[in-house]
Amino acid sequence: MADVKPVEFGNFELYPIEAGRFRLDGGAMFGVVPKTLWSKQIPADDKNRILMGMRCLLIKSKKTDKAYLVDNGSGDKFNDKMASIYDLDYDHSDLISSLKNCGFEPADITDIIFTHLHFDHCGGTTTYNEQGKISEVFPKATYHVNKRHWETANHPNAREKASFFPENLDPIKNSGRLNLVDDYHEFETNLDTLIMNGHTTGQQLPVLRNGETILVYAADLIPTFTHIPLPWVMGYDMKPIQTLEEKEAFLNQAADENWHLFLEHDADHEVVTVQKENGKFMLKNTLSLAEIS
């Protein structure tokens, strides 16, 4: 029996899926913002790293019976050195256990929607089997990737190359179940995507609609609640000026229409809303996924 009850959202049942935690350099996460400012919001450890979540979203469609998983975390294919660098923590949570707590097995997942293919968003697609070979975790899932992002991931620039791991991308490529989608792809009624190109080319943000209530999976456009202010842009972004432009338009609409933003990387805040005061964007409310239905 499932431990986690679904959140009813129109024609969908929603489940937050915690796929573990890790740490990234705070300076890189906040770009030009001084540590004296960002560390008041998210404290750093002795290696200047901040705690990050890997919060995925499971969407069960009542209309089509599809089970969509948005992203799947970093996976467990790291050697000891890499695991130490990122301080990977699967004691807090892990992908498979989180799915089981919601009443799902990996074979139940029919579709995986990748926001993008940086290692902390797609590494859970595969694992090492008992023979030490890479094997797929989701044997029946169709993998949905934006066309332009797929090109970027397979022919990355020197700066972004370290975020794309062959052991993550090659099994997706060779699965026979890769579906390359256009910008603003609609998966079904009330489930479509927004496209952002500042962080990486072709990042797709799933959007769910239930009447006037809108839930957006914010991925790496707004990775944590501290990234709501307009200038707080990650050093990881390939085109930070474009991120600023995309973020401003996104936040204006989010504030005007009271969008609910599902946060992938915030360790403590699951969903937030935003407001605009005196020309500045700021946090309005924090809530759980269950509180938006």
Side-chain angles (χ1 to χ4, degrees), residues 136 139-143 169-179:
E136 290 185 76
K140 299 178 182 179
T142 297
Y143 303 126
L169 269 62
D170 289 348
I172 294 173
K173 183 188 304 182
N174 298 328
S175 67
R177 302 190 309 280
L178 171 62
N179 181 39

Short mmCIF file of all heavy atoms in Angstrom, two decimals, residues 136 139-143 169-179:
data_model
loop_
_atom_site.label_atom_id
_atom_site.label_comp_id
_atom_site.label_asym_id
_atom_site.label_seq_id
_atom_site.Cartn_x
_atom_site.Cartn_y
_atom_site.Cartn_z
N GLU A 136 19.08 0.12 -17.76
CA GLU A 136 18.02 1.10 -17.62
C GLU A 136 17.16 0.81 -16.38
O GLU A 136 16.86 -0.35 -16.08
CB GLU A 136 17.13 1.09 -18.86
CG GLU A 136 17.79 1.63 -20.11
CD GLU A 136 16.80 1.71 -21.26
OE1 GLU A 136 15.96 2.63 -21.25
OE2 GLU A 136 16.87 0.83 -22.14
N PRO A 139 12.26 0.50 -17.76
CA PRO A 139 12.31 -0.28 -19.00
C PRO A 139 11.22 0.02 -20.01
O PRO A 139 11.36 -0.33 -21.19
CB PRO A 139 12.17 -1.73 -18.49
CG PRO A 139 11.42 -1.60 -17.19
CD PRO A 139 11.92 -0.33 -16.58
N LYS A 140 10.14 0.68 -19.60
CA LYS A 140 9.02 0.92 -20.52
C LYS A 140 8.83 2.40 -20.84
O LYS A 140 7.94 2.75 -21.63
CB LYS A 140 7.73 0.37 -19.92
CG LYS A 140 7.75 -1.13 -19.66
CD LYS A 140 6.45 -1.60 -19.03
CE LYS A 140 6.48 -3.10 -18.74
NZ LYS A 140 5.23 -3.56 -18.09
N ALA A 141 9.66 3.26 -20.28
CA ALA A 141 9.42 4.70 -20.41
C ALA A 141 9.92 5.26 -21.73
O ALA A 141 11.00 4.92 -22.20
CB ALA A 141 10.09 5.45 -19.25
N THR A 142 9.12 6.14 -22.31
CA THR A 142 9.55 6.95 -23.43
C THR A 142 10.27 8.17 -22.87
O THR A 142 9.79 8.81 -21.94
CB THR A 142 8.35 7.40 -24.28
OG1 THR A 142 7.71 6.24 -24.84
CG2 THR A 142 8.79 8.32 -25.42
N TYR A 143 11.43 8.50 -23.43
CA TYR A 143 12.24 9.61 -22.95
C TYR A 143 11.98 10.84 -23.83
O TYR A 143 12.28 10.83 -25.03
CB TYR A 143 13.73 9.27 -23.00
CG TYR A 143 14.11 8.03 -22.23
CD1 TYR A 143 14.82 7.00 -22.86
CD2 TYR A 143 13.80 7.89 -20.89
CE1 TYR A 143 15.20 5.86 -22.16
CE2 TYR A 143 14.17 6.75 -20.18
CZ TYR A 143 14.86 5.74 -20.82
OH TYR A 143 15.24 4.62 -20.12
N LEU A 169 23.77 9.84 -21.13
CA LEU A 169 23.16 10.13 -22.43
C LEU A 169 23.10 8.93 -23.36
O LEU A 169 22.10 8.72 -24.06
CB LEU A 169 23.92 11.27 -23.11
CG LEU A 169 23.40 12.68 -22.84
CD1 LEU A 169 23.50 13.03 -21.36
CD2 LEU A 169 24.15 13.70 -23.68
N ASP A 170 24.17 8.13 -23.39
CA ASP A 170 24.23 7.03 -24.35
C ASP A 170 23.08 6.03 -24.19
O ASP A 170 22.48 5.60 -25.20
CB ASP A 170 25.57 6.31 -24.26
CG ASP A 170 26.72 7.16 -24.82
OD1 ASP A 170 26.43 8.18 -25.48
OD2 ASP A 170 27.89 6.79 -24.60
N PRO A 171 22.72 5.61 -22.96
CA PRO A 171 21.59 4.68 -22.84
C PRO A 171 20.27 5.27 -23.32
O PRO A 171 19.43 4.55 -23.85
CB PRO A 171 21.56 4.38 -21.34
CG PRO A 171 22.95 4.62 -20.86
CD PRO A 171 23.42 5.80 -21.66
N ILE A 172 20.08 6.58 -23.14
CA ILE A 172 18.88 7.23 -23.65
C ILE A 172 18.88 7.18 -25.17
O ILE A 172 17.88 6.84 -25.82
CB ILE A 172 18.81 8.68 -23.15
CG1 ILE A 172 18.63 8.71 -21.62
CG2 ILE A 172 17.68 9.45 -23.84
CD1 ILE A 172 18.73 10.10 -21.01
N LYS A 173 20.03 7.49 -25.74
CA LYS A 173 20.18 7.49 -27.20
C LYS A 173 19.94 6.10 -27.79
O LYS A 173 19.31 5.96 -28.85
CB LYS A 173 21.58 7.98 -27.57
CG LYS A 173 21.85 8.09 -29.05
CD LYS A 173 23.32 8.39 -29.31
CE LYS A 173 23.79 9.63 -28.61
NZ LYS A 173 25.23 9.96 -28.89
N ASN A 174 20.42 5.08 -27.11
CA ASN A 174 20.38 3.72 -27.64
C ASN A 174 19.14 2.93 -27.22
O ASN A 174 19.01 1.76 -27.58
CB ASN A 174 21.64 2.96 -27.20
CG ASN A 174 22.91 3.60 -27.74
OD1 ASN A 174 22.91 4.19 -28.82
ND2 ASN A 174 23.98 3.51 -26.96
N SER A 175 18.25 3.55 -26.46
CA SER A 175 17.10 2.83 -25.91
C SER A 175 16.06 2.45 -26.96
O SER A 175 15.29 1.50 -26.78
CB SER A 175 16.42 3.68 -24.83
OG SER A 175 15.82 4.83 -25.41
N GLY A 176 16.00 3.24 -28.05
CA GLY A 176 14.93 3.06 -29.02
C GLY A 176 13.63 3.73 -28.59
O GLY A 176 12.61 3.62 -29.27
N ARG A 177 13.67 4.43 -27.44
CA ARG A 177 12.45 5.08 -26.92
C ARG A 177 12.66 6.58 -26.70
O ARG A 177 11.96 7.19 -25.90
CB ARG A 177 12.04 4.40 -25.61
CG ARG A 177 11.78 2.90 -25.75
CD ARG A 177 11.13 2.30 -24.52
NE ARG A 177 11.85 2.63 -23.30
CZ ARG A 177 12.97 2.02 -22.88
NH1 ARG A 177 13.49 1.03 -23.60
NH2 ARG A 177 13.56 2.38 -21.76
N LEU A 178 13.62 7.14 -27.41
CA LEU A 178 13.86 8.57 -27.33
C LEU A 178 12.89 9.31 -28.23
O LEU A 178 12.76 8.99 -29.42
CB LEU A 178 15.30 8.89 -27.75
CG LEU A 178 15.67 10.37 -27.92
CD1 LEU A 178 15.51 11.12 -26.60
CD2 LEU A 178 17.09 10.50 -28.45
N ASN A 179 12.20 10.30 -27.68
CA ASN A 179 11.27 11.13 -28.44
C ASN A 179 11.73 12.58 -28.35
O ASN A 179 11.69 13.19 -27.28
CB ASN A 179 9.85 11.01 -27.88
CG ASN A 179 8.86 11.84 -28.67
OD1 ASN A 179 8.94 11.93 -29.89
ND2 ASN A 179 7.91 12.45 -27.96
#
